[in-house]
Amino acid sequence: MTILKGTKDNFFSLIKEGVTLAYFSNPQTEECQTTRANLESIEKNSKKDIKFVEINVNEEKKVVDKFPVDISPTIILFKNGKILKSKIGAQPKSQLTYFISPFN
């Protein structure tokens, strides 16, 4: 698998079933680039079927406006379309791994 690109056309169907980690990012910032690299590493080593979806906050305002995303990066973990928990701001790989550990 890879990190999927979330858009207004596909995001809500992507989070509808199963566990999804949604990563709201501004790809032009260093914090978001670092967080994405950490998520790519975690995704490659994921043991379970967790979808990783990246939403560009500059391009997908219709998606971003539906969620509590004031700062990028923001990470929201969904299960069957419902928010389980979220993290705001850049996170080291260890914190991201711990964040999804109950589902991985």
Side-chain angles (χ1 to χ4, degrees):
M1 270 187 82
T2 59
I3 296 178
L4 305 168
K5 181 176 181 175
T7 68
K8 63 179 173 33
D9 298 323
N10 71 0
F11 181 74
F12 296 98
S13 63
L14 287 171
I15 67 168
K16 189 175 182 178
E17 292 181 10
V19 177
T20 306
L21 184 144
Y23 167 53
F24 293 83
S25 119
N26 177 350
Q28 297 157 333
T29 68
E30 186 176 332
E31 293 87 0
C32 289
Q33 291 170 12
T34 301
T35 300
R36 187 180 206 293
N38 289 335
L39 287 173
E40 285 175 339
S41 175
I42 293 167
E43 190 270 338
K44 285 178 186 168
N45 296 308
S46 180
K47 298 174 191 135
K48 300 237 174 138
D49 193 22
I50 299 173
K51 289 176 280 203
F52 289 70
V53 180
E54 180 175 12
I55 302 91
N56 184 320
V57 297
N58 300 320
E59 296 175 357
E60 299 298 334
K61 295 289 186 192
K62 289 186 178 183
V63 175
V64 174
D65 289 345
K66 302 279 186 196
F67 300 100
V69 178
D70 295 326
I71 298 171
S72 59
T74 294
I75 297 168
I76 301 176
L77 196 60
F78 293 89
K79 183 170 184 183
N80 299 328
K82 299 195 188 303
I83 295 175
L84 296 177
K85 57 184 178 176
S86 63
K87 281 233 177 238
I88 297 172
Q91 304 292 320
K93 185 177 174 184
S94 61
Q95 289 288 347
L96 293 169
T97 301
Y98 180 76
F99 182 73
I100 67 164
S101 64
F103 306 97
N104 196 18

